[in-house]
Amino acid sequence: LKSKEWISCKQYFNYECAYCGMTEEKHKELYKQQLHKEHAFPNGANDLSNCIPACKSCNSLKSNYEFIDWYNQENERFSEERIHMINRWLENDYKQFKR
Ligand SMILES: [Zn+2]
């Protein structure tokens, strides 16, 4: 993943964790680090088609699950709006940012 691609990805997600919405600013305050590069599918590609930004907490809770097995209605962090954004990104929108 090229750094420009990663920046485009974070911009797309408004510099927020794709799962819970924590901002990168808040994340830096709490954890002294940027949002993590999260693989939506643990065995998927290491490129834009499989990367979304996630906070440290979501990243570690999701662990090796496929995102849909963890990020669903039963998850208290779940939001319809955010899962639509994740799906749009993974299905199509990442393509316009590939270098
Ligand atoms: Zn999060």
Side-chain angles (χ1 to χ4, degrees):
L1 195 61
K2 294 172 185 147
S3 68
K4 273 190 181 167
E5 291 180 321
W6 179 232
I7 288 166
S8 302
C9 178
K10 288 202 287 190
Q11 274 171 349
Y12 183 91
F13 286 95
N14 305 312
Y15 289 89
E16 291 171 0
C17 172
Y19 297 126
C20 75
M22 179 186 283
T23 64
E24 183 155 74
E25 198 181 353
K26 179 81 185 162
H27 194 265
K28 281 177 175 167
E29 252 177 63
L30 270 177
Y31 300 116
K32 314 292 178 210
Q33 56 188 235
Q34 301 188 347
L35 292 169
H36 292 235
K37 282 176 200 152
E38 153 76 13
H39 284 177
F41 302 97
N43 299 317
N46 181 29
D47 66 22
L48 270 192
S49 67
N50 191 33
C51 280
I52 57 177
C55 72
K56 187 176 179 175
S57 166
C58 288
N59 183 261
S60 91
L61 286 170
K62 178 192 163 279
S63 183
N64 276 330
Y65 292 107
E66 309 233 326
F67 79 96
I68 210 72
D69 291 336
W70 174 75
Y71 195 66
N72 55 44
Q73 304 277 7
E74 289 157 42
N75 189 324
E76 62 181 15
R77 301 177 181 198
F78 181 81
S79 117
E80 290 286 348
E81 194 185 332
R82 283 195 296 268
I83 198 151
H84 286 313
M85 199 187 286
I86 294 170
N87 283 329
R88 278 201 312 270
W89 173 262
L90 296 175
E91 282 161 16
N92 190 59
D93 286 358
Y94 76 89
K95 290 172 190 163
Q96 57 189 290
F97 302 107
K98 268 198 125 175
R99 308 271 162 165

